[in-house]
Amino acid sequence: MLQNYSQPLEFTNLTTWIDSTLGANLPSFWSIAIEMVLVAVALLAVYSLTAMILIYVERKITAFFQARIGPNRVGKYGIFQTVADVIKILLKEIIHVNKVDKFLFYAAPFFMIVASMLTFGAIPFAQGLHAVDFNIGVFYVTAVSSLGIIGVLLAGWSSNNKYSMIGAMRSGAQFVSYELSAGFALMTMVVLTGTMQLSEMIESQRFCWNIFNGHISAIVAFIIYLISGHAETNRGPFDLPEAESELTAGYHTEYSGLQFGFFYLAEYLNMFIIASIAATVFLGGWMPLQVRGWDAFNQIMWYLPSYMWFTIKVFLLIFFSLWVRWSFPRLRIDQLLNLEWKYLLPINLVNILVMVLLVLAGWTLNDIF
Amino acid sequence: MSNATLFLTVFLTGLLLVVAGLGMAILLSPKSFNTQKGEPYECGIPTHGTSWMQFKAGYYLYAILYLMFDVEAIFLFPWATIVRELGVQGLTSIVFFLVILGLGLAYAWRKGVLQWK
């Protein structure tokens, strides 16, 4: 029998309590409607809070990497800097540019935000705390997150600006290429776990996180996923689409005020989403570090609630991504595409076969021990 | 709640965020008119012509290659979930599939599609 060591701090208690109370006291239509509103409010709150925290964390960490102090005026240690920025960006005028394709220009932020929100909803934040849990979870995540690129292409094309156009084209080629690697790396882990549902994937990593379970193959897949996830979010050494010294701001040059804010928001959220999918698929998601048979140890590990484990893993990955971002110079577009098509993709295809061999021969850690 | 309802909720939340945000920004933000403001921003230099023009074909070649591998991924995902049950037979049959695709990539490579010119 698997023990959960359920504890008072978990959100599962709260959500099941709300569900049962509403179900008992109201007709099903109203209870579902109220739950929909609750889910929406919770999502919006977590979504915007995550973005604000991430922006602050990024600015502060970047400052440390560059031996600066970073934001330090608004509030103690500048913790209210992002709040001030949000208010400022809300009060900025949305400039109507003459020659843009109006419909596509205004539709682009919708694509960016909706795509990131749909992916965001599929992330298991803690035990029993996820909005959408399809049985094709991993596939859903790769499919939905790639909708964002439509927003980028629309933004670049409709802006009628050369910088935007070049930025969008670069971004399209880059995203489309690295999407393959990310998908294949996730597929390697699907081979290992034998399920695509994210909650089942986490459950299968109870005593052995995937990255240990699949050892060689899983580590290769993890590194490939980190690289391609980094490239998909247009960050770090892969930030050619918005290379500010050559393209001003890339595909969102013409956007101003909150419309620009939406692109900014989606970018940060995508960074978070990539990190949390990596944490979920490779590092066990919200599952604490447990060892089979060490009951006392496992119980100690469960004293930290599952959302804390998730947050720690995700923020370690984000820190790593920032580290990479500020350590490497920007790639040229041909180097970027070569890296994907001549190295990562062939390695990935071979890696899947190696993983199948490991699984079929019974050489995964779960099989050995 | 069923997954479909939740999916709808998340989708509507995304739409709501953009609509509410834009509505608020439009209400709160100042408006002023200036002919210079409507110009495309190209670092102060007057724009020369439109940017809806023919573009480098290199990007499209990558997009076509992507299409090939992406469709492959759709076939591979269901295979990946049940490869444990399929056993050796599943491995051998997918090797042929992957080899044919690898040949496709090798062909593109040989033809110089992957060379950025």
Side-chain angles (χ1 to χ4, degrees):
Chain A
M1 183 62 203
L2 295 171
Q3 275 177 293
N4 259 340
Y5 306 110
S6 70
Q7 46 158 320
L9 288 175
E10 291 291 348
F11 275 117
T12 331
N13 307 325
L14 185 67
T15 49
T16 44
W17 179 78
I18 290 176
D19 188 44
S20 57
T21 335
L22 284 177
N25 296 324
L26 287 170
S28 70
F29 174 78
W30 286 109
S31 80
I32 285 182
I34 290 177
E35 277 177 23
M36 276 174 84
V37 173
L38 284 180
V39 168
V41 169
L43 266 179
L44 276 181
V46 179
Y47 189 88
S48 38
L49 258 182
T50 316
M52 280 159 77
I53 292 171
L54 266 183
I55 291 172
Y56 174 72
V57 165
E58 150 126 29
R59 291 180 68 176
K60 212 65 183 171
I61 292 178
T62 303
F64 283 122
F65 275 124
Q66 297 174 345
R68 295 185 283 119
I69 300 170
N72 65 342
R73 291 302 164 95
V74 194
K76 188 95 173 148
Y77 303 113
I79 43 171
F80 294 119
Q81 183 65 52
T82 16
V83 181
D85 286 348
V86 168
I87 294 169
K88 188 189 109 177
I89 218 164
L90 265 175
L91 296 176
K92 284 280 174 189
E93 182 180 357
I94 295 178
I95 298 172
H96 300 279
V97 190
N98 290 334
K99 290 179 178 169
V100 298
D101 185 323
K102 284 241 159 41
F103 176 68
L104 298 183
F105 190 76
Y106 291 109
F110 280 90
F111 275 91
M112 300 292 292
I113 293 292
V114 170
S116 69
M117 183 65 94
L118 284 178
T119 331
F120 193 73
I123 297 170
F125 292 97
Q127 197 176 10
L129 194 73
H130 43 232
V132 188
D133 188 29
F134 284 123
N135 53 4
I136 51 162
V138 175
F139 187 68
Y140 167 81
V141 164
T142 47
V144 166
S145 66
S146 59
L147 283 180
I149 192 60
I150 298 177
V152 171
L153 284 173
L154 287 187
W157 177 260
S158 65
S159 291
N160 201 356
N161 179 324
K162 272 101 181 170
Y163 293 128
S164 306
M165 179 74 176
I166 298 171
M169 281 297 170
R170 281 187 186 178
S171 186
Q174 173 179 335
F175 187 91
V176 140
S177 305
Y178 281 88
E179 176 70 16
L180 283 179
S181 280
F184 280 120
L186 291 179
M187 195 188 295
T188 317
M189 303 329 278
V190 172
V191 169
L192 180 64
T193 49
T195 175
M196 283 199 269
Q197 191 163 5
L198 287 173
S199 56
E200 277 184 29
M201 248 179 162
I202 294 174
E203 197 52 49
S204 75
Q205 302 179 54
R206 178 172 287 270
F207 289 113
C208 196
W209 296 351
N210 270 342
I211 194 164
F212 305 130
N213 191 14
H215 44 91
I216 307 172
S217 203
I219 290 169
V220 172
F222 184 60
I223 293 169
I224 290 178
Y225 186 77
L226 282 187
I227 294 174
S228 46
H230 215 85
E232 270 183 39
T233 46
N234 296 337
R235 297 172 65 77
F238 308 104
D239 60 347
L240 315 108
E242 31 196 293
E244 63 275 12
S245 49
E246 4 176 328
L247 293 180
T248 355
Y251 53 85
H252 52 59
T253 306
E254 287 294 351
Y255 285 88
S256 51
L258 196 67
Q259 285 193 309
F260 163 74
F262 283 133
F263 282 98
Y264 201 59
L265 188 69
E267 186 192 325
Y268 277 88
L269 256 298
N270 284 338
M271 182 170 81
F272 177 80
I273 287 165
I274 292 290
S276 45
I277 294 298
T280 305
V281 174
F282 294 94
L283 303 179
W286 47 259
M287 195 59 87
L289 183 66
Q290 292 175 87
V291 181
R292 198 190 301 277
W294 295 10
D295 277 342
F297 177 76
N298 295 346
Q299 201 157 356
I300 291 173
M301 286 295 152
W302 269 101
Y303 277 120
L304 212 54
S306 53
Y307 47 89
M308 284 308 291
W309 278 97
F310 178 77
T311 317
I312 290 169
K313 286 171 191 173
V314 168
F315 272 87
L316 278 180
L317 286 176
I318 287 174
F319 177 76
F320 180 73
S321 128
L322 289 177
W323 194 357
V324 170
R325 178 178 187 187
W326 297 112
S327 302
F328 290 100
R330 185 181 299 142
L331 272 71
R332 272 200 328 258
I333 181 113
D334 60 326
Q335 294 168 330
L336 177 101
L337 291 169
N338 274 352
L339 172 67
E340 160 64 20
W341 290 95
K342 296 188 178 169
Y343 296 95
L344 294 188
L345 189 62
I347 291 174
N348 235 327
L349 290 178
V350 175
N351 193 35
I352 288 185
L353 291 178
V354 173
M355 179 57 95
V356 177
L357 273 179
L358 284 182
V359 166
L360 290 184
W363 289 337
T364 58
L365 281 194
N366 263 339
D367 291 330
I368 295 173
F369 297 108
Chain B
M1 280 205 285
S2 69
N3 266 326
T5 329
L6 283 165
F7 175 76
L8 189 71
T9 315
V10 178
F11 182 75
L12 290 179
T13 314
L15 284 184
L16 180 80
L17 176 61
V18 186
V19 172
L22 279 184
M24 239 159 84
I26 288 170
L27 283 180
L28 290 176
S29 62
K31 286 163 201 69
S32 67
F33 181 75
N34 183 340
T35 35
Q36 299 298 314
K37 263 187 181 173
E39 295 286 311
Y41 179 78
E42 288 185 7
C43 297
I45 303 164
T47 326
H48 185 76
T50 165
S51 29
W52 294 329
M53 51 186 161
Q54 288 196 332
F55 210 73
K56 190 173 170 60
Y59 293 101
Y60 299 104
L61 290 176
Y62 282 99
I64 290 168
L65 267 182
Y66 161 74
L67 206 60
M68 180 178 93
F69 278 93
D70 202 41
V71 174
E72 177 211 2
I74 296 173
F75 286 118
L76 279 179
F77 263 109
W79 163 80
T81 41
I82 54 162
V83 70
R84 259 178 212 269
E85 286 104 86
L86 287 178
V88 181
Q89 196 198 348
L91 178 62
T92 45
S93 50
I94 215 67
V95 163
F96 283 105
F97 191 61
L98 285 181
V99 162
I100 291 171
L101 271 154
L103 284 180
L105 182 64
Y107 176 75
W109 197 331
R110 188 73 204 279
K111 276 281 179 185
V113 175
L114 303 185
Q115 199 68 43
W116 192 259
K117 287 186 287 281

